[in-house]
Amino acid sequence: APPIAPMAARRGADEMRDRVVLGEFGVRNVHTTDFPGNYPGYEDAWDQRRFEEAFRVDVIREEEDTLEFDMVGIDAAIANAFRRILLAEVPTMAVEKVFVYNNTSIVQDEILAHRLGLIPIRADPRLFEYRNQGDQEGTEIDTLQFQLKIKCKRNPQAAKESSDPDELYFNHKVYSKHMTWVPLGNQTDLFPDADFRPVHDDILIALLRPGQEIDVLMHCVKGIGKDHAKFSPVATASYRLLPDITLLQPVEDEAAETLQKCFSPGVIEIQNINGKKVARVANARLDTFSREVFRHEGLKNLVRLARVRNHYIFSVESTGILPPDVLVTEAIKILMGKCQRFLNELDSVPME
């Protein structure tokens, strides 16, 4: 076989290193291959300076509870470490113990306790310590106490013919807003301007009928998502690779319109050039890669679908306990702590 021209070989290697290619039946180049000596002519040994030049973080969209940012120039293992720390290792405060003094509602005690545990509590976990194992009693440094005391009564002013429970009864819906903070020890002095409460006021906990009541005391402690999902600070934390769509040939007229329909809205735009409709890639980032284009015989060889291997689009959605940007910085601190512990272990273990 004739030798491949050096330029073509270089191009092929570049594609393998930089792109994950989506074919009609499968995905190519999924493995990380940029380890030293794998490709002749490439300097792939780890170099801090080169990493710092190539690495960057771009914040794309920041709202109250959602954050979208790009992390460019890292490996999948690091990106995944951030995702998993966000899900399972950034601590929050959540209801751990429920003391039931009275519960005559139809919700069983353990179901009620479980529901209360899942209510996100707006309290900065950095203000508290972890509770020591085996401690039954909480103290002001490791516990937040909430009370829920509510009784349902008939409304004597209700119209005779009314069938609406909202009109017939008082307090027949128990909401998270009925949970009140009860300071422990010297917490009133420790947190003079604190506003410890559930993140949302309108979470329905139970329904009551006249004469039924709930009287419980709750202890919130600090914990991590590894131990129980109620401690997870994010609703979702995920990443995807940046899409990269290349048109290999000009696509015109009807084909251009079909092509536009194959992708998510906003990905392909149609321009009018000399009376001809011509397709161009406007914003590949918006695509979800349904691969619809591969169902069209005339189009599937005109497009290359790929993803940029080292460009991660993260989206972090907070449950509202801490803002998402704080969660990300906390996750980075936790990863730094892990690295530091590992280095200390290496230093303390005598080498053979």
Side-chain angles (χ1 to χ4, degrees):
I4 302 172
M7 270 306 288
R10 179 93 187 179
R11 268 205 309 273
D14 279 345
E15 181 180 283
M16 280 177 81
R17 290 158 52 85
D18 302 338
R19 296 287 185 270
V20 176
V21 182
L22 285 86
E24 187 176 0
F25 303 108
V27 185
R28 295 203 311 275
N29 311 345
V30 289
H31 303 291
T32 304
T33 53
D34 55 351
F35 36 87
N38 201 31
Y39 297 104
Y42 285 95
E43 187 60 52
D44 275 330
W46 165 257
D47 175 22
Q48 172 110 10
R49 189 186 55 78
R50 206 170 59 232
F51 170 76
E52 285 176 11
E53 281 171 7
F55 178 73
R56 65 173 208 273
V57 175
D58 305 328
V59 176
I60 305 297
R61 187 167 55 91
E62 189 173 1
E63 288 162 23
E64 192 183 2
D65 285 339
T66 54
L67 175 68
E68 186 182 322
F69 65 95
D70 289 10
M71 233 182 221
V72 187
I74 54 165
D75 194 69
I78 310 289
N80 201 39
F82 284 128
R83 184 187 72 86
R84 292 186 56 164
I85 289 170
L86 279 166
L87 286 168
E89 293 188 54
V90 175
T92 63
M93 302 291 286
V95 174
E96 175 72 7
K97 276 200 160 68
V98 178
F99 303 93
V100 181
Y101 293 104
N102 197 0
N103 172 21
T104 52
S105 73
I106 60 162
V107 182
Q108 294 98 324
D109 293 358
E110 57 270 42
I111 304 287
L112 181 66
H114 181 252
R115 289 176 73 82
L116 292 168
L118 293 172
I119 294 172
I121 305 293
R122 180 166 287 159
D124 192 330
R126 294 169 293 183
L127 302 172
F128 298 90
E129 303 293 325
Y130 286 102
R131 190 187 277 198
N132 292 327
Q133 256 178 337
D135 277 11
Q136 291 304 311
E137 293 298 311
T139 63
E140 61 265 15
I141 58 163
D142 61 26
T143 306
L144 264 182
Q145 188 170 257
F146 283 89
Q147 188 182 36
L148 175 62
K149 192 170 182 176
I150 189 163
K151 186 169 184 176
C152 178
K153 294 191 174 79
R154 286 187 190 281
N155 176 9
Q157 263 83 52
K160 282 277 189 290
E161 63 282 353
S162 171
S163 62
D164 178 10
D166 289 332
E167 197 184 331
L168 287 171
Y169 318 123
F170 291 130
N171 290 339
H172 85 108
K173 285 182 173 169
V174 183
Y175 285 112
S176 50
K177 67 180 174 201
H178 296 124
M179 289 168 61
T180 51
W181 173 46
V182 181
L184 270 174
N186 62 348
Q187 281 183 340
T188 6
D189 307 327
L190 279 176
F191 314 115
D193 48 0
D195 180 23
F196 298 130
R197 58 190 177 84
V199 172
H200 304 286
D201 285 340
D202 56 351
I203 299 172
L204 186 64
I205 298 170
L207 291 174
L208 302 180
R209 282 295 179 263
Q212 295 182 349
E213 64 179 299
I214 289 176
D215 180 5
V216 297
L217 206 60
M218 291 159 265
H219 279 184
C220 299
V221 300
K222 184 173 175 173
I224 57 174
K226 255 185 190 172
D227 299 328
H228 194 294
K230 68 185 175 190
F231 292 115
S232 184
V234 290
T236 59
S238 61
Y239 60 77
R240 58 194 180 102
L241 290 172
L242 178 76
D244 174 48
I245 299 168
T246 317
L247 298 182
L248 305 172
Q249 290 175 28
V251 182
E252 297 171 345
D253 298 331
E254 268 178 46
E257 290 185 344
T258 313
L259 185 77
Q260 188 179 36
K261 288 181 186 142
C262 290
F263 292 94
S264 304
V267 175
I268 302 286
E269 72 172 14
I270 294 179
Q271 294 177 315
N272 203 325
I273 298 172
N274 303 334
K276 267 189 177 169
K277 292 176 179 172
V278 180
R280 71 173 269 273
V281 179
N283 188 355
R285 186 190 179 93
L286 300 173
D287 198 34
T288 54
F289 280 161
S290 61
R291 304 199 230 190
E292 171 70 19
V293 69
F294 291 132
R295 296 178 56 193
H296 298 269
E297 214 47 58
L299 292 176
K300 68 180 179 189
N301 298 322
L302 307 182
V303 183
R304 186 192 74 157
L305 301 186
R307 287 187 182 273
V308 182
R309 185 191 291 283
N310 66 354
H311 188 135
Y312 294 87
I313 301 172
F314 275 83
S315 66
V316 177
E317 191 180 313
S318 164
T319 52
I321 297 170
L322 288 172
D325 55 328
V326 174
L327 292 179
V328 174
T329 48
E330 286 299 303
I332 293 169
K333 284 180 196 164
I334 289 169
L335 188 59
M336 283 160 65
K338 283 175 181 282
C339 298
Q340 195 54 58
R341 273 201 304 282
F342 181 59
L343 292 172
N344 295 347
E345 290 283 318
L346 287 178
D347 290 343
S348 63
V349 176
M351 291 309 237
E352 288 296 322

